[in-house]
C-alpha cells in the first residue's frame, strides 16, 4: 500500500484544540476522518461544527481509558492513528494527589498505548500504516509545576521512539509532534486543576491561587499546520517540534542536567518558579 493510499484517519481528542483543527483540515483535504471525542455530549457539537465548516467527517465517542471504546475502534479500519487525546495536571510533584497522578498517566499514556496496540497490529497485517503521537516539548524538557504532565509525555516519547524501531520492518510509520507553549487554553487549565484536589490544602507546599503558567504562549497555527502535515504524510521527520524557534533552546535544556550540581541554587527560589508568580494567565507572545 503506497503512502498516498492511507486515507482513513482516527484522531482522538478531536473536540477541542489541536485535534479539532487537524480533523477539520484533514477532512478538507479529502481524508476519511474519524473525529473521536471523550464524551457523548461532544458528539453533536462537533457534528454541527463540521457542517458549519463545510466538511464531512465521522464523529465517534472514544474515551481512550475505556476498554469498550478502544475495542469498538478496531472495527473502523484505521490506517492513520493520531494519538492526540490528553489532559494536563498542574502542581508541584510533591503536592499532586495520587488519584490525579494516576489519571494523568491513564489518559496520556496507558489508554493511548492500549488503543494503539490493537490498531497497530491491524496496520502490520495490512502492511502499511501511520501512527502520530502528539507529545509535547515537555516530553523533552521540564518546567516547575508541570512535572507530572511532563513525566507522562516523557513516557510517550519513550513509547513512540521504541515503537518506530519495532514497526519499521512492517512498513508502519511512527512520528511525534511536540508542541511548545501555545495559547489554546490547555496550559492555563493545568494551573486550575488544584481547585478540585481531594487533599489537605494546609499540607501543600505552594499556594496555587497565586501561580500561573510561567511562559508567554504562541499562536497555535504552527501546530495546526504541522500536525495536519505529519498526519497526511507530507512531513517525514520523526520528531516535529513547534515553534521551530524553540528547537535550539530545547536541545540546550536537554544538556542542563548533565552539568547541574545537587547544590546549585540551594536556599534560593528558582527563576522558573518565580515566573509563575509574576506571569498573568493566557499571556500571548509579544504582549
Amino acid at each position: 500500500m503506497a503512502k498516498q493510499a492511507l486515507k482513513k484517519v482516527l484522531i482522538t481528542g478531536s473536540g477541542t484544540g489541536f485535534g479539532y483543527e487537524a480533523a477539520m483540515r484533514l477532512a478538507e483535504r479529502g481524508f476519511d476522518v474519524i473525529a473521536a471525542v471523550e464524551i457523548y455530549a461532544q458528539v453533536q457539537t462537533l457534528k454541527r461544527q463540521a457542517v458549519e465548516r463545510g466538511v464531512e467527517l465521522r464523529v465517534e465517542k472514544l474515551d481512550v481509558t475505556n476498554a469498550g471504546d478502544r475495542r469498538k475502534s478496531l472495527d473502523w479500519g484505521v490506517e492513520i492513528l493520531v494519538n492526540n487525546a490528553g489532559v494536563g495536571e498542574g502542581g508541584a510533584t510533591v503536592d499532586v494527589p495520587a488519584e490525579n497522578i494516576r489519571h494523568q498517566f491513564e489518559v496520556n499514556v496507558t489508554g493511548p498505548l492500549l488503543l494503539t496496540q490493537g490498531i497497530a497490529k491491524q496496520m502490520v497485517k495490512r502492511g502499511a500504516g501511520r501512527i502520530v503521537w502528539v507529545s509535547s516539548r515537555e516530553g523533552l524538557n521540564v518546567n516547575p509545576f508541570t512535572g507530572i504532565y511532563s513525566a507522562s509525555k516523557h513516557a510517550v516519547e519513550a513509547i513512540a521512539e521504541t515503537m518506530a524501531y519495532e514497526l519499521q520492518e512492517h512498513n508502519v510509520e511512527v512520528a511525534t509532534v511536540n508542541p511548545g507553549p501555545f495559547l489554546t487554553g490547555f496550559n492555563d487549565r493545568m494551573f486550575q486543576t488544584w481547585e478540585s484536589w481531594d487533599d489537605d490544602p494546609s499540607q501543600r507546599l505552594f499556594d496555587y491561587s497565586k501561580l500561573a503558567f510561567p511562559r508567554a504562549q504562541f499562536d497555535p497555527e504552527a501546530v495546526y499546520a504541522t500536525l495536519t502535515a505529519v498526519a497526511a504524510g507530507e512531513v517525514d521527520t520523526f520528531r516535529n517540534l513547534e515553534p521551530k524557534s524553540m528547537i535550539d533552546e530545547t536541545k540546550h535544556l536537554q544538556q542542563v542536567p548533565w552539568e547541574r550540581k545537587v547544590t546549585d541554587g540551594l536556599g534560593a527560589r528558582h527563576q522558573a518558579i518565580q515566573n509563575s508568580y509574576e506571569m498573568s494567565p493566557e499571556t500571548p507572545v509579544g504582549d
Side-chain angles (χ1 to χ4, degrees):
M1 182 178 292
K3 175 183 287 190
Q4 299 91 310
L6 300 176
K7 286 294 184 181
K8 181 167 283 191
V9 52
L10 169 61
I11 307 175
T12 64
S14 292
T16 59
F18 302 142
Y20 169 85
E21 190 62 29
M24 294 294 177
R25 294 190 184 196
L26 287 167
E28 288 171 348
R29 295 187 183 197
F31 283 83
D32 185 359
V33 176
I34 304 170
V37 294
E38 181 186 5
I39 58 176
Y40 282 112
Q42 295 175 292
V43 172
Q44 292 303 323
T45 299
L46 187 53
K47 286 182 177 180
R48 183 174 63 253
Q49 291 169 328
V51 171
E52 293 171 354
R53 188 82 168 245
V55 301
E56 292 185 9
L57 49 74
R58 174 179 172 182
V59 183
E60 292 281 355
K61 185 264 186 185
L62 196 169
D63 177 349
V64 296
T65 68
N66 184 292
D69 284 359
R70 295 194 301 264
R71 185 167 54 249
K72 72 182 182 182
S73 73
L74 299 177
D75 295 329
W76 299 342
V78 175
E79 298 171 333
I80 304 168
L81 172 61
V82 180
N83 283 313
N84 170 74
V87 294
E89 183 68 44
T93 53
V94 295
D95 280 342
V96 179
E99 181 180 353
N100 299 71
I101 295 171
R102 293 189 182 98
H103 180 66
Q104 179 73 94
F105 277 83
E106 283 294 321
V107 176
N108 286 13
V109 184
T110 308
L113 177 55
L114 293 175
L115 173 70
T116 303
Q117 285 180 342
I119 293 174
K121 288 175 182 176
Q122 292 180 333
M123 292 176 177
V124 168
K125 289 181 180 179
R126 194 181 299 121
R130 183 175 304 124
I131 299 168
V132 181
W133 290 88
V134 179
S135 178
S136 173
R137 182 174 180 265
E138 294 278 298
L140 307 172
N141 297 155
V142 299
N143 282 290
F145 308 122
T146 59
I148 303 302
Y149 170 74
S150 182
S152 74
K153 291 303 186 179
H154 274 69
V156 165
E157 288 291 318
I159 289 167
E161 190 171 352
T162 306
M163 188 174 287
Y165 293 135
E166 294 165 345
L167 297 184
Q168 69 176 39
E169 66 186 89
H170 301 288
N171 296 311
V172 177
E173 304 168 20
V174 180
T176 68
V177 175
N178 299 70
F182 284 91
L183 192 52
T184 64
F186 182 90
N187 297 315
D188 295 287
R189 288 194 297 270
M190 278 201 292
F191 278 72
Q192 294 178 302
T193 57
W194 62 271
E195 296 174 1
S196 60
W197 285 357
D198 183 14
D199 69 340
D200 179 357
S202 70
Q203 297 302 307
R204 295 173 185 167
L205 195 60
F206 293 92
D207 180 354
Y208 295 101
S209 66
K210 298 179 179 179
L211 303 178
F213 184 74
R215 296 194 68 139
Q217 301 176 65
F218 294 86
D219 183 295
E221 172 57 34
V223 181
Y224 298 157
T226 295
L227 179 56
T228 302
V230 173
E234 298 167 356
V235 174
D236 63 2
T237 46
F238 169 77
R239 177 170 289 156
N240 302 276
L241 188 146
E242 293 289 350
K244 292 181 175 59
S245 61
M246 297 187 78
I247 290 176
D248 287 343
E249 177 189 352
T250 300
K251 290 180 178 180
H252 166 71
L253 290 175
Q254 287 181 300
Q255 298 301 313
V256 168
W258 292 98
E259 303 165 1
R260 182 180 175 87
K261 304 291 191 298
V262 296
T263 54
D264 285 353
L266 287 185
R269 174 175 289 166
H270 194 283
Q271 183 58 50
I273 288 182
Q274 184 60 33
N275 290 345
S276 285
Y277 284 93
E278 298 174 355
M279 186 70 70
S280 298
E282 299 185 10
T283 301
V285 169
D287 282 17

